[in-house]
Amino acid sequence: MLDTVSNARKPRSSETFPGPGFMIRTAIPRLPAELVEGFAAFESTDISDTMNRMYAMGSEIHNLVNDAPLVGQVCTVKVYPGDNLMVHKVLDIAQPGDVVVVDGSGSLNAAVLGDLVANKARHRGIAGFVVDGLVRDLPGLRECGMPIYARGVTPFGPLHRGPGEINFPVCCGGIVVSPGDIVRADPSGVTVVPGWAAAGILDRLRTARPQQEDYVARVKA
């Protein structure tokens, strides 16, 4: 059962539930803050290795703004290629510290967001964006300073008419991402930790750290 679902269009009398492309879920599964923040102590590569190299996004999605790392629970957005209506809407739904993951179907036709969306998101405490698509206004994005991982940049702006979905499973960089998952991104790339496995993965990372640090030290020596 959906937590809170609203229709982005007026349903016909024959419709009982929202249809694909017109669904919004306002609540996501929330993990303890200390669990989410625990992943900040580990690099995306180590996390990926611990999950048997199964949950790292493709290298084409990288930080276009700076080298700032990114960690947080995920709010997902699926947009029609070349449209960003739901990217604007998610700014009212995501909570401080969340990472917004946008499934733009890898479209290279138009940007999904620019400096205006980024600045609005920063003022609302959103941690950053991971976009399977393009962004624009690169100088403004760099001035904003928010970590934004995407495929590239373009001057072409998006439309704002939908359809789209918020907080349903999406595909980003070849990985299925669900609302409530954890993203850990850094200069090496983007790794997704499924929410249901997060506690176990963090325990394994912490347990293996002393042995890993000793091995690295011996290699360097």
Side-chain angles (χ1 to χ4, degrees), residues 39 54 78 83 107 109 129:
F39 285 93
M54 293 289 290
K78 184 173 180 62
D83 190 281
S107 173
N109 293 327
F129 289 86

Side-chain angles (χ1 to χ4, degrees), residues 25-42:
R25 179 181 280 144
T26 60
I28 65 173
R30 289 289 169 185
L31 299 171
E34 59 271 18
L35 172 57
V36 178
E37 294 164 1
F39 285 93
F42 300 91

Side-chain angles (χ1 to χ4, degrees), residues 86-99:
M86 289 301 185
V87 175
H88 285 274
K89 178 60 179 176
V90 79
L91 301 182
D92 298 326
I93 295 173
Q95 295 185 12
D98 285 350
V99 176

